[in-house]
PDB file of all heavy atoms in Angstrom:
ATOM      1  N   LEU S  41     165.225 -37.638  53.331  1.00  0.00           N
ATOM      2  CA  LEU S  41     166.514 -38.312  53.288  1.00  0.00           C
ATOM      3  C   LEU S  41     166.861 -38.850  54.658  1.00  0.00           C
ATOM      4  O   LEU S  41     167.343 -39.966  54.811  1.00  0.00           O
ATOM      5  CB  LEU S  41     167.594 -37.332  52.806  1.00  0.00           C
ATOM      6  CG  LEU S  41     169.010 -37.898  52.697  1.00  0.00           C
ATOM      7  CD1 LEU S  41     169.032 -39.072  51.715  1.00  0.00           C
ATOM      8  CD2 LEU S  41     169.982 -36.821  52.252  1.00  0.00           C
ATOM      9  N   THR S 160     145.209 -46.096  40.859  1.00  0.00           N
ATOM     10  CA  THR S 160     144.401 -46.426  39.687  1.00  0.00           C
ATOM     11  C   THR S 160     144.636 -45.378  38.606  1.00  0.00           C
ATOM     12  O   THR S 160     144.556 -44.172  38.866  1.00  0.00           O
ATOM     13  CB  THR S 160     142.906 -46.480  40.041  1.00  0.00           C
ATOM     14  OG1 THR S 160     142.699 -47.478  41.050  1.00  0.00           O
ATOM     15  CG2 THR S 160     142.072 -46.845  38.819  1.00  0.00           C
ATOM     16  N   PRO S 167     149.341 -44.406  21.595  1.00  0.00           N
ATOM     17  CA  PRO S 167     150.729 -44.590  22.015  1.00  0.00           C
ATOM     18  C   PRO S 167     151.190 -43.554  23.025  1.00  0.00           C
ATOM     19  O   PRO S 167     150.631 -42.462  23.118  1.00  0.00           O
ATOM     20  CB  PRO S 167     151.499 -44.432  20.700  1.00  0.00           C
ATOM     21  CG  PRO S 167     150.682 -43.436  19.928  1.00  0.00           C
ATOM     22  CD  PRO S 167     149.241 -43.720  20.298  1.00  0.00           C
ATOM     23  N   ASP S 181     170.489 -47.729  52.521  1.00  0.00           N
ATOM     24  CA  ASP S 181     171.929 -47.508  52.391  1.00  0.00           C
ATOM     25  C   ASP S 181     172.361 -47.231  50.951  1.00  0.00           C
ATOM     26  O   ASP S 181     173.547 -47.135  50.668  1.00  0.00           O
ATOM     27  CB  ASP S 181     172.703 -48.712  52.940  1.00  0.00           C
ATOM     28  CG  ASP S 181     172.459 -49.986  52.148  1.00  0.00           C
ATOM     29  OD1 ASP S 181     171.404 -50.072  51.486  1.00  0.00           O
ATOM     30  OD2 ASP S 181     173.312 -50.892  52.193  1.00  0.00           O
ATOM     31  N   ILE S 220     156.468 -38.237  54.965  1.00  0.00           N
ATOM     32  CA  ILE S 220     157.512 -38.383  55.986  1.00  0.00           C
ATOM     33  C   ILE S 220     157.231 -39.561  56.921  1.00  0.00           C
ATOM     34  O   ILE S 220     158.070 -40.459  57.059  1.00  0.00           O
ATOM     35  CB  ILE S 220     157.699 -37.067  56.767  1.00  0.00           C
ATOM     36  CG1 ILE S 220     158.232 -35.990  55.820  1.00  0.00           C
ATOM     37  CG2 ILE S 220     158.657 -37.268  57.940  1.00  0.00           C
ATOM     38  CD1 ILE S 220     158.338 -34.614  56.442  1.00  0.00           C
TER      39      ILE S 220
END
Side-chain angles (χ1 to χ4, degrees):
L41 180 60
T160 300
D181 64 337
I220 295 175

